[in-house]
Amino acid sequence: MRRRHGIIPTMLAAWLTAAFTMLAMGLPAPAAADTDAEQLVRRTAEETLRTLENRRDQLDGNPAAIYDLVGDKLAPHFDFELITRSAVGRDWARASPAQRRQLVSAFRALLISTYARSLARYSGEDVIYQPARAGTRDGTVVVPTEVTGGGGPPIPIDYRMHDAHGSWKVYDLVIENVSMISSYRGQFRAIIGRSGVDGLIQELEAKAAGT
């Protein structure tokens, strides 16, 4: 799969479309220890799809409204601070508290914007689920899936969640054995090396704004 240069890899649309697909289709009930995560995803899916159905006339062709829907229904279940810190990697220690807040805010806005565009293009792709398994660390779960449809081969997706103080949150997506976080980390490191932490913040903000 080819990638585009810049902040957003080409495969990111597939990542986020797949992630929404998983929410839309619902997850299978894994072992009892993972039931809370499954129930959270299913409830979020039902609420999101019900809102889409009830507000279809308002949402079609209205990117701002879809952005708000993603922000209200889906974003609360993503750990944007952990995602950002992991993607920035070793350079996180160089950032001041104010810069860290700006990084999280800008990256959150970018991911929500990209997620909203993917949601607008959702066209009923199917998902094949495999049994959920424990993650490599305590308090984490991995749900392996394959997304089918669109005329291409199945796309394997791992949907990673962790227990954040009693609430399950997404902390990474992995497509074809490539982590979203790892993919961003190389890009972020290059930008920071060229323009510093402030340069990364500015680029994230510009991409989130569509400029």
Side-chain angles (χ1 to χ4, degrees), residues 110-134:
L110 174 60
L111 291 178
I112 291 178
S113 177
T114 306
Y115 209 125
R117 291 194 297 271
S118 298
L119 176 57
R121 295 195 298 269
Y122 175 70
S123 58
E125 291 84 359
D126 294 324
V127 179
I128 299 172
Y129 299 100
Q130 300 171 8
R133 65 177 186 269

Side-chain angles (χ1 to χ4, degrees), residues 20 23 44 47-48 51-52 55 59 62-80 105 108-117 119 169:
F20 172 73
L23 293 175
T44 302
E47 292 176 358
T48 302
T51 302
L52 275 173
R55 298 177 55 195
L59 295 174
N62 188 344
I66 296 178
Y67 183 100
D68 290 341
L69 174 62
V70 172
D72 291 342
K73 300 294 185 181
L74 304 181
H77 306 300
F78 284 73
D79 191 338
F80 289 105
S105 177
R108 180 185 186 276
L110 174 60
L111 291 178
I112 291 178
S113 177
T114 306
Y115 209 125
R117 291 194 297 271
L119 176 57
K169 291 185 181 292

Side-chain angles (χ1 to χ4, degrees), residues 40-115:
L40 171 63
V41 173
R42 190 179 298 276
R43 184 171 64 251
T44 302
E46 292 173 352
E47 292 176 358
T48 302
L49 293 179
R50 184 165 55 249
T51 302
L52 275 173
E53 183 65 22
N54 293 339
R55 298 177 55 195
R56 175 60 65 184
D57 292 343
Q58 299 174 359
L59 295 174
D60 282 348
N62 188 344
I66 296 178
Y67 183 100
D68 290 341
L69 174 62
V70 172
D72 291 342
K73 300 294 185 181
L74 304 181
H77 306 300
F78 284 73
D79 191 338
F80 289 105
E81 181 173 349
L82 178 56
I83 291 170
T84 305
R85 185 171 74 243
S86 299
V88 173
R90 65 190 184 197
D91 293 308
W92 183 260
R94 298 172 49 190
S96 68
Q99 287 174 318
R100 292 176 182 179
R101 290 192 294 270
Q102 290 176 292
L103 284 167
V104 173
S105 177
F107 198 26
R108 180 185 186 276
L110 174 60
L111 291 178
I112 291 178
S113 177
T114 306
Y115 209 125

